[in-house]
């Protein structure tokens, strides 16, 4: 029996785009053991050079191919897909190739790396010594859509805060609270106790007021300050509901608590 640590695989997460060499060369040069190929979920059109790349990886007996898909033009779908892949291989050395996909995918990949510790990589294109590979015409003649991208903090929410965001999302139903959208703070206190979060079960407080103070300090205030939830007072009760940023951050990082 040996006490040696298991050998870590070299994993490359590769959003696919209109590239071939910039995706293939890093895989071969850095001898990737696992390739997570992220394909565009919204298109059924076959792109021959991408099919050739994927087919070559499938036929390579040394490389394990993990095929996934997402909307490469939607930040949070791409971010969620990439961070989930990073988490699935967290015991390995994970690299994310930012060279293809879309610009939005590259942004999502960089955010995912900064939030998780994975390594971003970029393959610079070679336009030739005299620039003969530079296109004579613009790559695109028309624009399909112009939209604003959301800003995003580098640090992801803690798992505990994600648990609360998920609880608020699940409890924000018309059936539960009628026209009062959100979850009463009292229910969040009960949730904290049921889940045995340290700040609730290890506290010496025994009063309801004390529990409200603990919830505010450890959960409500941080989530409000980050813009993930908002609090609305209705009568004597206060309801917590997710903001659009809260919904998006939960969408991107929910897999950490599932």
């Amino acid at each position: 029996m040996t006490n040696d640590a298991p050998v870590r695989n070299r994993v490359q997460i590769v959003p696919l785009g209109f590239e071939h060499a910039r995706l293939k060369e890093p895989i071969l040069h850095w001898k990737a053991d696992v390739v997570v190929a992220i394909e565009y979920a919204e298109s059924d059109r076959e792109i021959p050079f991408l099919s050739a790349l994927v087919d070559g990886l499938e036929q390579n007996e040394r490389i394990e191919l993990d095929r996934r898909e997402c909307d490469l033009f939607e930040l949070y779908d791409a971010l969620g897909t990439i961070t989930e892949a990073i988490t699935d291989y967290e015991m390995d050395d994970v690299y994310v190739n930012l060279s293809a996909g879309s610009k939005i995918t590259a942004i999502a990949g960089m955010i995912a790396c900064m939030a998780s510790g994975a390594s971003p990589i970029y393959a610079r294109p070679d336009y030739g010594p005299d620039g003969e590979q530079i296109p004579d015409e613009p790559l695109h003649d028309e624009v399909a859509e112009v939209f604003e991208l959301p800003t995003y903090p580098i640090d992801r929410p803690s798992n505990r805060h994600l648990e609360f965001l998920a609880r608020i999302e699940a409890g924000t139903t018309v059936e539960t609270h009628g026209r009062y959208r959100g979850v009463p703070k009292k229910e969040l206190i009960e949730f904290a106790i049921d889940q045995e979060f340290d700040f609730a079960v290890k506290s010496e407080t025994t009063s309801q007021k004390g529990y409200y103070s603990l919830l505010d300090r450890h959960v409500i205030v941080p989530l409000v300050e980050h813009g993930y939830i908002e609090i609305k007072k209705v009568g004597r009760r206060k309801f917590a509901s997710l903001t659009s940023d809260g919904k998006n951050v939960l969408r991107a990082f929910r897999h950490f608590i599932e």
Side-chain angles (χ1 to χ4, degrees):
M1 184 175 179
T2 178
N3 292 323
D4 293 341
V7 177
R8 297 164 66 94
N9 283 325
R10 290 162 296 205
V11 180
Q12 281 193 35
I13 299 172
V14 184
L16 303 183
F18 300 132
E19 299 284 353
H20 185 270
R22 297 173 73 195
L23 305 181
K24 181 179 179 181
E25 290 304 317
I27 292 171
L28 300 180
H29 181 74
W30 286 0
K31 296 180 172 58
D33 301 298
V34 180
V35 174
V36 182
I38 302 178
E39 302 171 82
Y40 184 36
E42 304 298 319
S43 176
D44 295 327
R45 179 179 177 181
E46 180 178 349
I47 301 173
F49 59 84
L50 286 181
S51 297
L53 173 65
V54 173
D55 290 344
L57 293 173
E58 286 182 331
Q59 295 169 15
N60 190 315
E61 296 182 355
R62 190 187 62 78
I63 296 175
E64 175 187 341
L65 178 63
D66 180 353
R67 298 178 68 172
R68 308 188 183 196
E69 61 179 28
C70 73
D71 183 349
L72 296 176
F73 296 94
E74 208 289 315
L75 179 65
Y76 287 101
D77 194 16
L79 179 56
T81 301
I82 294 171
T83 55
E84 183 172 12
I86 292 172
T87 303
D88 289 344
Y89 294 97
E90 62 183 352
M91 302 305 294
D92 297 312
D93 295 323
V94 181
Y95 302 85
V96 182
N97 191 331
L98 307 182
S99 306
S102 69
K103 296 292 193 300
I104 293 175
T105 319
I107 294 169
M110 181 60 77
I111 293 173
C113 288
M114 290 188 291
S116 66
S119 300
I121 61 175
Y122 181 81
R124 182 171 64 87
D126 184 358
Y127 293 108
D130 299 317
E132 64 269 15
Q133 296 298 321
I134 296 176
D136 295 324
E137 301 291 338
L139 296 179
H140 305 286
D141 294 326
E142 298 182 3
V143 173
E145 181 183 6
V146 178
F147 53 91
E148 184 178 359
L149 285 173
T151 58
Y152 191 77
I154 299 303
D155 294 329
R156 72 170 181 85
S158 67
N159 285 2
R160 182 177 69 194
H161 284 165
L162 287 170
E163 293 272 9
F164 276 96
L165 292 178
R167 174 63 182 85
I168 293 170
E169 180 191 58
T172 304
T173 64
V174 175
E175 291 78 10
T176 303
H177 300 295
R179 65 188 181 92
Y180 302 128
R181 303 287 289 169
V183 177
K185 290 173 70 174
K186 182 179 179 181
E187 291 187 12
L188 296 180
I189 292 172
E190 294 170 352
F191 174 71
I193 295 173
D194 289 342
Q195 297 298 310
E196 298 184 346
F197 291 125
D198 287 350
F199 76 88
V201 298
K202 292 186 177 181
S203 170
E204 296 180 356
T205 188
T206 57
S207 68
Q208 192 73 4
K209 183 178 180 180
Y211 280 117
Y212 275 101
S213 178
L214 288 171
L215 180 74
D216 283 342
R217 183 164 70 252
H218 291 276
V219 179
I220 300 298
V221 170
L223 292 181
V224 169
E225 288 180 346
H226 280 88
Y228 297 149
I229 68 171
E230 57 186 7
I231 303 297
K232 183 176 181 180
K233 187 175 182 179
V234 182
R236 299 182 62 183
R237 295 198 295 175
K238 292 182 178 180
F239 290 78
S241 59
L242 299 185
T243 63
S244 58
D245 283 349
K247 293 175 183 177
N248 284 330
V249 77
L250 179 60
R251 179 182 177 188
F253 295 116
R254 185 192 297 273
H255 62 276
F256 279 103
I257 59 174
E258 289 182 343

